Amino acid sequence: MRLKLYLYNKNGIINVPFNYNHIMSFIIYDLIDDVGYANCLHSKKSFKFFCFSQINISKCKMVDGGFISRDGRISFIISSPDDRLITELVKGIMNKQSIMFMEQVLAIIKCEIIKEPSFTNKMEFRTLSPIIVTTKKEIDGKLRQWDLTPSVEFYNGIKNNLNKKYVKFHNLKYIDKTINVYSNMKVVKRKRISINKGPNTTFHRAFMMDIVLEGDIDLIKFAYDCGLGSKNSLGFGLVDIY
């Protein structure tokens, strides 16, 4: 299920930095109505089963360090296969009615439930937030996390990650469904994104692109709800129908 939030600053301008993923992730946790549930979700070491899009900036202008919305309006999408999470978000949104974004008070002027599309065994998607796929690579004698670029290994990484998330979410021992992942490479744009976590900052290679999912409908729907690749709960891998 998906929600789309429309936000407004009465001052007429919203400043948005280039790298805002960690800010939006914090906002989503803060919007969850049940604080205990939000803390439990945030502290999970495994998959959190939600994703969000890049910010859509109305009347966007690029400035030093980021962008501004010249009419004070932005929007973004939150997606999850977990009905409880969506319910807690809706309750929190109704109670709070505004968010704090980099010391800017933004009113939630609309919360829209997005109608689910019809799913088929083969669907072409486009990214609403860039995809990260990671592997382990030996560098200077140490295993380090390495971001992959679109390739057979990249698509296999998406598939394996999706299967693991599906098994974990449904509490299964194994998966008996199949899916094939590839791209027609119509639009591929590399993005370098930094993520702040406490005192540390990590840099990642991520890709805005077209992606094809072919196989079991349940897996395709789950991918649509949950996101593709790694770090979904930090705003990576959300897709929509091309």
Side-chain angles (χ1 to χ4, degrees):
M1 187 180 295
R2 293 187 169 187
L3 302 176
K4 186 170 184 178
L5 272 63
Y6 298 83
L7 309 171
Y8 175 66
N9 187 345
K10 66 180 181 180
N11 295 330
I13 291 178
I14 301 175
N15 293 291
V16 181
F18 286 127
N19 295 291
Y20 52 75
N21 294 63
H22 61 291
I23 301 171
M24 298 306 296
S25 183
F26 174 81
I27 286 170
I28 290 170
Y29 287 118
D30 192 54
L31 281 172
I32 294 172
D33 190 60
D34 187 326
V35 175
Y37 174 69
N39 290 337
C40 182
L41 183 65
H42 184 259
S43 63
K44 281 177 65 175
K45 300 299 183 183
S46 60
F47 306 118
K48 296 177 174 63
F49 303 112
F50 73 88
C51 193
F52 57 92
S53 70
Q54 293 189 127
I55 295 174
N56 179 44
I57 304 172
S58 178
K59 295 189 177 179
C60 179
K61 178 182 178 181
M62 186 179 293
V63 294
D64 288 343
F67 310 92
I68 61 170
S69 168
R70 291 179 292 176
D71 65 354
R73 297 177 185 272
I74 62 173
S75 63
F76 73 104
I77 294 169
I78 307 170
S79 182
S80 176
D82 188 338
D83 289 342
R84 182 185 176 187
L85 175 56
I86 295 296
T87 299
E88 292 293 341
L89 281 168
V90 170
K91 288 164 61 179
I93 289 163
M94 291 176 64
N95 289 334
K96 294 177 181 176
Q97 300 183 346
S98 67
I99 65 167
M100 184 68 73
F101 181 82
M102 294 186 63
E103 301 181 354
Q104 302 167 99
V105 178
L106 307 184
I108 302 171
I109 56 175
K110 184 179 180 182
C111 176
E112 175 186 11
I113 296 177
I114 297 177
K115 184 179 178 181
E116 188 175 273
S118 298
F119 294 97
T120 63
N121 291 109
K122 180 179 179 181
M123 299 185 72
E124 187 171 13
F125 296 94
R126 62 185 177 93
T127 50
L128 297 181
S129 54
I131 296 175
I132 292 177
V133 182
T134 62
T135 189
K136 295 289 186 180
K137 186 174 181 178
E138 186 173 332
I139 302 174
D140 297 329
K142 295 182 180 180
L143 279 179
R144 301 183 185 276
Q145 194 174 76
W146 187 261
D147 297 330
L148 296 171
T149 59
S151 61
V152 172
E153 188 178 7
F154 180 91
Y155 303 124
N156 285 338
I158 291 176
K159 180 173 69 173
N160 293 335
N161 174 273
L162 179 61
N163 287 340
K164 288 177 183 177
K165 285 186 291 199
Y166 188 89
V167 166
K168 183 75 173 178
F169 183 79
H170 291 285
N171 197 27
L172 303 173
K173 292 183 177 179
Y174 63 92
I175 190 166
D176 60 354
K177 305 177 187 298
T178 60
I179 195 166
N180 188 29
V181 182
Y182 59 95
S183 174
N184 291 322
M185 303 297 281
K186 293 178 180 177
V187 180
V188 180
K189 182 179 180 181
R190 174 177 163 173
K191 300 194 72 173
R192 186 174 185 265
I193 297 176
S194 66
I195 299 175
N196 297 330
K197 190 173 183 180
N200 301 316
T201 300
T202 58
F203 296 91
H204 295 274
R205 288 181 299 177
F207 294 87
M208 299 294 288
M209 60 190 300
D210 59 286
I211 202 96
V212 179
L213 302 181
E214 186 173 4
D216 189 275
I217 290 178
D218 284 345
L219 271 177
I220 294 175
K221 180 184 182 304
F222 186 77
Y224 173 86
D225 285 336
C226 198
L228 296 175
S230 303
K231 304 185 185 300
N232 303 137
S233 62
L234 281 170
F236 294 96
L238 190 65
V239 296
D240 197 8
I241 296 174
Y242 193 89

